[in-house]
Amino acid sequence: MRIALATCTSLPDWEVDDQPLHEALQQHGVEVEHPVWNDKSIDWSSFDACVIRTTWDYTDQRDEFVQWARMAASHTCLHNPAATIEWNTCKSYLKDLAECGIATIPTCWLEAGSSPDLAELMMAQGWTRGFLKPRIGATARGTCRFNIDDHSLEEAMSHLDTMLSNEHMMLQPYLDSVESLGEWSAIVIDGELTHAVRKIPRPGDYRVPDDFGATDETHTPTPDELAMVHETIKVLHAHPEWTGHGQAPLLYARLDYLK
């Protein structure tokens, strides 16, 4: 078997997290390649399957990435499916989950080209600390935390004006717990929870990727947390328009949670 683990041209040299996966596949006689997703010379039909792994530059070219996923899926077995890629690469998926009863952070959806009054929005929601982020983003790109009653509000307004000039944004209440409790992620393989990881930012920071010095540790979900994971998986399975898989489980999923 020959499998593509899709990547990007800008993968940093220090990225070695996938090495155990490479070794495990090779030990089972699987030939592993690491093609760049937008390399036009790649013949995706030459692979038995393609697993999307480190395609981290998609946030700057999301439409092209979705088009690539559709193309690749027409030539090989793509994991996860192109329908999932299209749905999950824009954070508007939180709307869908919320409508299905999944607990999500309250969100004000801000449209590109608009000029919302940030202070007015905050007061209407009763929020004293806010958090801005783009709908298409990763690794804390374009994020901003601020307080309604100090100079950071003015900085946030300027940041928002700049971002809204060419992309959609989100406004949420800032959850202080991220600074002490971090964020935990449930890893689901073939529909089953395999393990969970807690990501803790550096003191005073909110960014949980290790790019910013955050640390990782194993996490044992509580019964309530397990119930949230199972309910989310159930909802995903019930919506093939999001997953492209009908009742069959996705090959993999990561569910991120804050308290």
Side-chain angles (χ1 to χ4, degrees):
M1 179 174 285
R2 187 167 182 251
I3 292 180
L5 299 179
T7 187
C8 61
T9 56
S10 56
L11 192 70
D13 293 338
W14 49 258
E15 176 47 51
V16 296
D17 289 353
D18 272 9
Q19 193 58 44
L21 172 62
H22 303 165
E23 294 172 356
L25 289 172
Q26 291 162 358
Q27 287 172 5
H28 283 79
V30 177
E31 181 182 349
V32 178
E33 299 289 339
H34 309 92
V36 173
W37 69 270
N38 53 359
D39 183 342
K40 304 298 184 182
S41 69
I42 301 299
D43 177 9
W44 297 98
S45 65
S46 68
F47 299 101
D48 296 291
C50 174
V51 179
I52 297 175
R53 281 300 307 130
T54 49
T55 55
W56 294 341
D57 58 356
Y58 81 88
T59 57
D60 297 324
Q61 43 196 328
R62 187 254 182 174
D63 290 345
E64 292 82 355
F65 186 61
V66 170
Q67 291 171 7
W68 165 80
R70 293 172 182 161
M71 179 276 295
S74 69
H75 292 286
T76 189
C77 184
L78 181 68
H79 295 289
N80 280 324
T84 305
I85 301 309
E86 182 172 6
W87 179 70
N88 195 237
T89 49
C90 179
K91 292 180 174 60
S92 58
Y93 68 79
L94 292 173
K95 291 182 183 179
D96 297 326
L97 294 177
E99 289 174 359
C100 290
I102 301 300
T104 61
I105 298 174
T107 303
C108 293
W109 302 92
L110 311 177
E111 304 302 316
S114 64
S115 301
D117 186 317
L118 193 53
E120 186 176 292
L121 285 174
M122 291 287 290
M123 288 187 288
Q125 298 295 330
W127 301 337
T128 58
R129 302 196 76 189
F131 192 68
L132 293 166
K133 60 184 172 184
R135 292 189 209 177
I136 299 172
T139 323
R141 181 191 75 86
T143 60
C144 175
R145 64 178 170 183
F146 64 95
N147 301 320
I148 196 171
D149 57 356
D150 64 25
H151 65 87
S152 62
L153 174 61
E154 184 176 338
E155 295 172 355
M157 293 173 64
S158 176
H159 173 74
L160 182 60
D161 287 342
T162 298
M163 297 296 288
L164 284 176
S165 65
N166 55 26
E167 60 184 303
H168 304 303
M169 294 290 288
M170 304 161 60
L171 169 65
Q172 298 176 327
Y174 179 72
L175 302 183
D176 300 274
S177 61
V178 69
E179 297 178 20
S180 56
L181 300 177
E183 173 183 296
W184 73 274
S185 299
I187 311 302
V188 179
I189 306 296
D190 201 24
E192 298 293 331
L193 175 66
T194 60
H195 61 289
V197 178
R198 182 177 297 282
K199 297 167 283 186
I200 304 173
R202 296 174 61 184
D205 205 342
Y206 64 86
R207 296 170 297 182
V208 295
D210 53 14
D211 308 55
F212 304 107
T215 56
D216 299 340
E217 61 183 36
T218 56
H219 175 65
T220 302
T222 66
D224 286 344
E225 290 172 340
L226 284 174
M228 286 194 301
V229 173
H230 292 148
E231 181 61 25
T232 304
I233 295 172
K234 180 180 177 181
V235 167
L236 291 176
H237 290 176
H239 288 272
E241 70 272 24
W242 303 341
T243 65
H245 259 256
Q247 297 299 314
L250 295 170
L251 176 62
Y252 61 91
R254 192 192 78 205
L255 312 177
D256 297 331
Y257 295 94
L258 288 169
K259 288 188 176 181

